[in-house]
Amino acid sequence: MKRDTGPATPLTFRAGTAEDFSECAELWMRALALRDGTPSDSEIKRKASAKLTAPGGILSIAESQSGTHAFALALDVNPACAARTAHLALLAVDPAYQGRGLGRALLANMTQLLVTDGFAEVSLRVLEENMSARKIYEKAGWKIAGCGIFEDSGRPYIRYLLGLAQNEP
């Protein structure tokens, strides 16, 4: 049996703009509802919108002719420092396109954008129980750098770091 490996039309990556914020927040809300097995929550959408509109955001959109299928948002957490650090604040794949490698491709695209922009490292936090995402990050070279509890949900997370120096993979 041949597995469907992606959308029917080719995907492209582009820099996101303010015009994408609402659609990305909606996608984030739908993806979390699927992941957590809960109904869509407007508070989750509101929090995503706040991150999307924060200063220092780098937004990457994965789309085809039929629309936006995924996005990633990194925030420049110390723009005044010589060794700039980004934080991958949001990464979501439309539930209809999950399991097709789009998350990995988007992560690679965002990593390349950050390298090109001169960042030294990038961090992220992921739910401790989200093993599928953790496997993607670890396969891409991210290293566990700590753990904690998300303030808003009280759920445990794992913190990852990825060095972006040119001599690192």
Side-chain angles (χ1 to χ4, degrees), residues 122-139:
V122 59
S123 66
L124 65 81
R125 299 182 303 172
V126 62
L127 282 173
E128 181 179 61
E129 66 197 41
N130 190 345
M131 294 309 296
S132 60
R134 291 179 58 191
K135 286 178 186 176
I136 291 169
Y137 299 134
E138 290 171 11
K139 256 187 155 171

Side-chain angles (χ1 to χ4, degrees), residues 72-94:
L73 173 71
L75 301 175
D76 189 343
V77 294
N78 59 351
C81 293
R84 291 169 63 203
T85 301
H87 178 72
L88 187 60
L90 301 172
L91 188 151
V93 176
D94 185 321

Side-chain angles (χ1 to χ4, degrees), residues 38 56 111 116 158 168:
T38 58
T111 301
T116 301
I158 302 293
E168 294 185 15

Side-chain angles (χ1 to χ4, degrees), residues 125-128 146-151 155-159:
R125 299 182 303 172
V126 62
L127 282 173
E128 181 179 61
C147 59
I149 304 291
F150 281 112
E151 306 81 29
R155 296 168 76 181
Y157 67 78
I158 302 293
R159 183 171 181 267

Side-chain angles (χ1 to χ4, degrees), residues 6-56:
T9 56
L11 283 173
T12 57
F13 294 96
R14 67 170 175 82
T17 67
E19 293 166 353
D20 297 304
F21 293 167
S22 178
E23 185 175 10
C24 289
E26 180 71 29
L27 195 159
W28 178 257
M29 181 180 64
R30 287 194 325 268
L32 262 58
L34 176 69
R35 181 197 71 195
D36 295 342
T38 58
S40 293
D41 183 344
S42 61
E43 182 62 13
I44 289 172
K45 183 178 178 181
R46 186 195 64 75
K47 289 177 182 178
S49 293
K51 289 180 181 180
L52 286 158
T53 58

